Amino acid sequence: MSVRIGNIDLGEFPLLLAPMEDVSDPPFRYVCKQNGADMMYTEFISSEGLIRDAAKSIKKLDIFEYERPIGIQIFGSDIEHMREATEIATQAGPDLMDINYGCPVKQVACRGAGASLLQDIDKMVAMTKAVVEATHLPVTVKTRLGWNDDTKNVYEVAERLQDVGIKALTIHGRTRAQMYKGVADWSLIRDIKRNPRIQIPIFGNGDIDSPQKAANWRLEYEVDGMMIGRASIGYPWIFREVKHFFRTGEFLEGPTVAERVEVCRTHLEKSIEWKGLKTGIFEMRRHYSNYFKGINHFKEYRMRLVTAATLDEVQDILSEVELKYSAEVV
């Protein structure tokens, strides 16, 4: 049976790309889409930044036709500002709006936004209602199990947010206090999925880093789909590998070095297209070590890649890498 968010048909058991700050920009989303991500989100965008017309926030509204279906994710601490930001983001033409109630980092949570709202469910509900009423698009939410081990209140959150009109809920299987440490606990996510009151799709997030784990947890936790974040950084092939395993029960061979180089080049080209030559080359530097993780004696090439100043230099180094490691599968 197909999973639907409003009128968006995501097919059976969709794989979603998580919104990740400084990672899930259009160039990165392009290579993930090419490798099988069913739905993607922008990096999270500050409601205050959108209202102030801050250049960085406005730039994050850029979406492209090939990315659809795509959601714009916003966060903030002021209900009225979230309503205004929703109206602004809706004009950018996404397929849905998403609210971030999960970000655990201090700069967000300690300013009353992101996961902080898990400490004030009434305000979270009022904010969500304001966002739902401010747009004709389906609204989804991403959150965590609770603020800490003593306040795992996501069961109540799921019911109350559904009641004010959200169309899907993604739950990261950690509390805010855990940040990204320890092991994600999906048992509460399963409890929510089993709640007869819950009619919206429930997506699980946290620690999905292999096809086998995805298949096991799909059965064990009964979710409608999965959101993959950190495992896709430098490894967009995770989406196609998980799908292949679901279909066949067999592992797909990992990408060859030639494939890694090819996707890295594509990412670089898209980065330059979107950010301009200088920034595109500079911001791509954070991705090289991830694309070539696990390759023996790669340090020298990594150092050269992160110091190369021109596109020709980078392309030459990538050609060298491909030539040297062409016979190797990692």
Side-chain angles (χ1 to χ4, degrees):
M1 236 173 68
S2 271
V3 174
R4 299 184 74 87
I5 298 177
N7 60 357
I8 304 165
D9 186 339
L10 294 174
E12 187 190 352
F13 206 84
L15 300 178
L16 284 54
L17 171 66
M20 293 177 284
E21 176 70 350
D22 290 330
V23 176
S24 49
D25 59 9
F28 180 72
R29 297 198 301 261
Y30 181 88
V31 295
C32 288
K33 187 73 176 182
Q34 297 288 96
N35 281 281
D38 294 301
M39 190 166 81
M40 307 188 292
Y41 294 87
T42 61
E43 300 169 78
F44 70 173
I45 306 175
S46 158
S47 57
E48 307 295 328
L50 286 181
I51 292 165
R52 288 197 319 271
D53 207 25
K56 189 179 179 192
S57 296
I58 297 297
K59 181 78 171 161
K60 287 182 184 177
L61 290 175
D62 284 0
I63 52 180
F64 299 90
E65 282 305 309
Y66 64 75
E67 300 185 287
R68 298 192 185 280
I70 186 164
I72 288 176
Q73 189 188 71
I74 59 173
F75 73 97
S77 59
D78 183 281
I79 292 173
E80 192 49 44
H81 290 176
M82 285 289 280
R83 185 198 302 274
E84 287 177 52
T86 302
E87 290 171 354
I88 294 165
T90 298
Q91 290 169 8
D95 299 289
L96 57 90
M97 289 297 307
D98 188 75
I99 311 171
N100 181 309
Y101 293 137
C103 181
V105 300
K106 268 187 184 173
Q107 302 94 297
V108 174
C110 293
R111 291 181 182 165
S116 175
L117 275 299
L118 285 160
Q119 299 175 103
D120 189 346
I121 305 304
D122 290 344
K123 183 178 178 183
M124 181 194 278
V125 171
M127 184 179 282
T128 305
K129 188 170 187 285
V131 169
V132 169
E133 289 171 354
T135 184
H136 66 281
L137 298 167
V139 174
T140 61
V141 162
K142 181 164 191 264
T143 190
R144 287 180 169 236
L145 302 179
W147 182 254
N148 57 33
D149 280 344
D150 300 323
T151 57
K152 289 184 179 176
N153 48 14
V154 72
Y155 195 92
E156 177 194 350
V157 165
E159 289 190 345
R160 293 184 64 184
L161 296 190
Q162 178 181 265
D163 290 347
V164 294
I166 70 164
K167 300 301 183 193
L169 178 65
T170 299
I171 304 164
H172 182 105
R174 289 182 174 86
T175 62
R176 188 272 168 176
Q178 282 180 276
M179 301 294 284
Y180 295 98
K181 297 187 177 78
V183 179
D185 175 11
W186 285 40
S187 53
L188 197 48
I189 305 175
R190 180 178 53 210
D191 292 346
I192 291 164
K193 185 59 203 163
R194 288 178 176 176
N195 178 352
R197 272 204 61 202
I198 296 295
Q199 301 298 313
I200 58 174
I202 301 294
F203 302 119
N205 172 234
D207 292 354
I208 294 298
D209 54 12
S210 72
Q212 202 163 17
K213 189 185 282 185
N216 291 344
W217 287 17
R218 177 181 181 174
L219 290 174
E220 188 175 350
Y221 296 112
E222 302 165 23
V223 290
D224 295 293
M226 290 173 172
M227 181 179 277
I228 297 174
R230 287 175 295 168
S232 67
I233 298 174
Y235 204 85
W237 302 278
I238 184 79
F239 297 101
R240 75 174 188 190
E241 289 180 8
V242 169
K243 286 182 167 181
H244 182 82
F245 193 83
F246 283 169
R247 242 185 356 260
T248 66
E250 294 171 0
F251 289 102
L252 196 61
E253 272 194 17
T256 61
V257 172
E259 277 183 281
R260 287 174 184 249
V261 168
E262 183 189 359
V263 172
C264 185
R265 283 191 205 276
T266 302
H267 192 161
L268 173 64
E269 282 159 20
K270 292 289 174 187
S271 185
I272 290 167
E273 264 175 44
W274 187 59
K275 301 172 185 177
L277 185 65
K278 190 176 175 186
T279 308
I281 290 171
F282 179 75
E283 293 196 355
M284 190 63 194
R285 290 174 176 176
R286 67 171 73 112
H287 294 286
Y288 294 127
S289 59
N290 292 311
Y291 271 116
F292 300 104
K293 193 183 275 181
I295 296 181
N296 293 329
H297 312 301
F298 194 76
K299 189 178 177 184
E300 178 212 332
Y301 289 110
R302 185 178 64 79
M303 294 307 295
R304 287 171 61 196
L305 283 165
V306 299
T307 52
T310 68
L311 179 57
D312 284 347
E313 267 184 89
V314 176
Q315 294 285 28
D316 286 348
I317 298 163
L318 288 174
S319 296
E320 249 185 85
V321 168
E322 186 174 0
L323 198 62
K324 176 169 180 182
Y325 295 100
S326 58
E328 194 173 329
V329 178
V330 291

